[in-house]
Amino acid sequence: MKRDHLGRALAALLATALATATLSAVTSSAPAQAAPAEPDPVVFVHGRNAGPGVWGGMMTDFTAAGYPQDRLFAWSYDTSQSTNEVLSGQLSSYVDTVLARTGATRVDIVAHSLGSLPTRWYIKFGGGARKVAHWASLAGPNHGTSLAYLCALWDQGCRDMTPGSYVVQHLDQGAEAPGPVRYATWWSPCDEQVSPPTSTELTGAANTETGCLKHNDFLSDRTVSEQVLAFLRTATAH
């Protein structure tokens, strides 16, 4: 009897040892699971006579979709200043601060209206092509808007938005969507501020015509927000 008990005990120990060894082998041969990468930080850039607060709704949509709040930034700037002489350089410094704070190597930019011009200038002429992965323009006067003549006499930002301005001419020379950056624009036939509304479209960008949205409706429209989110999640060339 004692020998039978001893035999059963030895058999149980042997079975346990074999199971442990098998589990260890399976575990060691399984590929390591990489931690999910955080999204590139997003820099939101408001339009004329606005401020960072206009992005509250879209930021809420982004966090609801899984973006960490500490990856979302809104740049504040004086919209009456020159796109090429002042604002592009200020944006460059701001992007560098965001990269240093987050440890990221690139940012995504979402711009509304006038914000499209200094962000484009930064990418094309200010070294931003190496630091921007995606650029999204919502109702941007990328080829100018005739309504800007109404305030161009006293406001440099308005002068920059006039068709054929120094800024518009230089941005439209050569490639309108240069570098490895992915570009996308959204425009509406009901936009009362960008004339003509198709001024927003860029050759080489993914251009989307929305429903009948007014100029500031782009900031709160859920469909636009979802489309921008989907665009920022597309793969880039580098």
Side-chain angles (χ1 to χ4, degrees):
M1 292 294 292
K2 290 183 178 180
R3 289 182 179 179
D4 290 343
H5 286 303
L6 181 60
R8 285 196 292 270
L10 288 173
L13 287 172
L14 179 60
T16 301
L18 287 173
T20 301
T22 301
L23 178 61
S24 176
V26 170
T27 303
S28 61
S29 62
Q33 294 293 323
E38 286 192 291
D40 288 330
V42 182
V43 175
F44 294 92
V45 181
H46 61 77
R48 181 175 181 268
N49 286 344
V54 301
W55 296 108
M58 192 167 289
M59 283 187 170
T60 298
D61 291 343
F62 274 47
T63 54
Y67 264 80
Q69 289 186 347
D70 61 2
R71 308 292 279 189
L72 302 177
F73 299 83
W75 181 47
S76 178
Y77 67 102
D78 181 351
T79 62
S80 68
Q81 297 296 307
S82 168
T83 284
N84 57 309
E85 295 177 341
V86 178
L87 298 182
S88 175
Q90 291 180 356
L91 175 61
S92 177
S93 297
Y94 185 81
V95 168
D96 287 347
T97 299
V98 170
L99 294 177
R101 181 180 302 179
T102 60
T105 58
R106 296 176 300 173
V107 301
D108 292 330
I109 290 178
V110 179
H112 178 243
S113 190
L114 170 63
S116 301
L117 298 186
T119 54
R120 282 182 68 198
W121 194 280
Y122 165 60
I123 292 171
K124 190 166 187 175
F125 301 115
R130 297 178 289 103
K131 299 177 182 179
V132 177
H134 300 84
W135 176 86
S137 173
L138 311 181
N142 291 314
H143 298 291
T145 171
S146 59
L147 272 73
Y149 288 118
L150 299 176
C151 52
L153 288 178
W154 65 87
D155 188 296
Q156 181 62 49
C158 288
R159 283 195 290 276
D160 289 346
M161 288 191 290
T162 56
S165 71
Y166 177 90
V167 168
V168 169
Q169 282 187 25
H170 282 71
L171 287 175
D172 291 346
Q173 285 177 357
E176 293 184 355
V181 180
R182 282 190 178 271
Y183 297 81
T185 75
W186 282 259
W187 67 276
S188 164
C190 301
D191 190 335
E192 79 285 10
Q193 297 294 322
V194 177
S195 179
T198 52
S199 171
T200 299
E201 293 185 307
L202 291 177
T203 301
N207 301 299
T208 300
E209 178 181 351
T210 71
C212 186
L213 298 178
K214 297 297 185 182
H215 191 65
N216 289 330
D217 290 344
F218 286 84
L219 297 166
S220 57
D221 185 78
R222 181 60 60 85
T223 298
V224 170
S225 182
E226 291 174 351
Q227 291 174 347
V228 172
L229 268 167
F231 166 65
L232 298 187
R233 287 169 171 164
T234 58
T236 55
H238 65 153

